Amino acid sequence: MSAITIPPAVRTRLRDAQLPSHAWLVAVHLLVDTDESGWRTCEALASDTLMTTHQIRQSARALDEAGLIERARRFAKVDGRKTTLTSYRLKDGTR
């Protein structure tokens, strides 16, 4: 497993926000594992971090209150049912 280098500006923003550890995990995951435009769905984050979607949403709420992430919602059909998919990315396009 290789080391992850968090850019100093991102590390400072995360530290200054005084976030809980689970929010740090989500932020670091958004830093290293996203699509081309920096987005990651709630379900994908939950699967990759072994957290529940509820825990991901709580972490995202803490990150959003600190002004560190953007949230995008879209409607989709999953198994024939209409549902809302939420995606997250770090603000300022920082990856």
Side-chain angles (χ1 to χ4, degrees), residues 11-31:
R11 188 175 37 244
T12 301
R13 287 173 37 207
L14 289 169
R15 188 178 49 244
D16 291 347
Q18 298 179 356
L19 298 167
S21 58
H22 57 87
W24 267 82
L25 176 65
V26 170
V28 169
H29 204 75
L30 287 172
L31 186 66

Side-chain angles (χ1 to χ4, degrees), residues 64-85:
D64 189 41
E65 288 172 0
L68 298 172
I69 64 168
E70 297 176 61
R71 184 178 6 204
R73 295 183 135 186
R74 64 183 172 90
F75 293 106
K77 283 200 173 203
V78 176
D79 297 328
R81 300 176 68 182
K82 188 175 180 181
T83 187
T84 304
L85 297 178

Side-chain angles (χ1 to χ4, degrees), residues 33-88:
D33 191 15
T34 59
D35 65 9
E36 313 79 49
S37 58
W39 292 99
R40 191 83 170 136
T41 65
C42 179
E43 289 75 15
L45 281 168
S47 170
D48 292 346
T49 59
L50 300 177
M51 296 169 68
T52 65
T53 54
H54 179 72
Q55 290 169 318
I56 296 293
R57 286 186 180 99
Q58 286 179 319
S59 299
R61 191 173 305 122
L63 289 164
D64 189 41
E65 288 172 0
L68 298 172
I69 64 168
E70 297 176 61
R71 184 178 6 204
R73 295 183 135 186
R74 64 183 172 90
F75 293 106
K77 283 200 173 203
V78 176
D79 297 328
R81 300 176 68 182
K82 188 175 180 181
T83 187
T84 304
L85 297 178
T86 306
S87 296
Y88 306 103

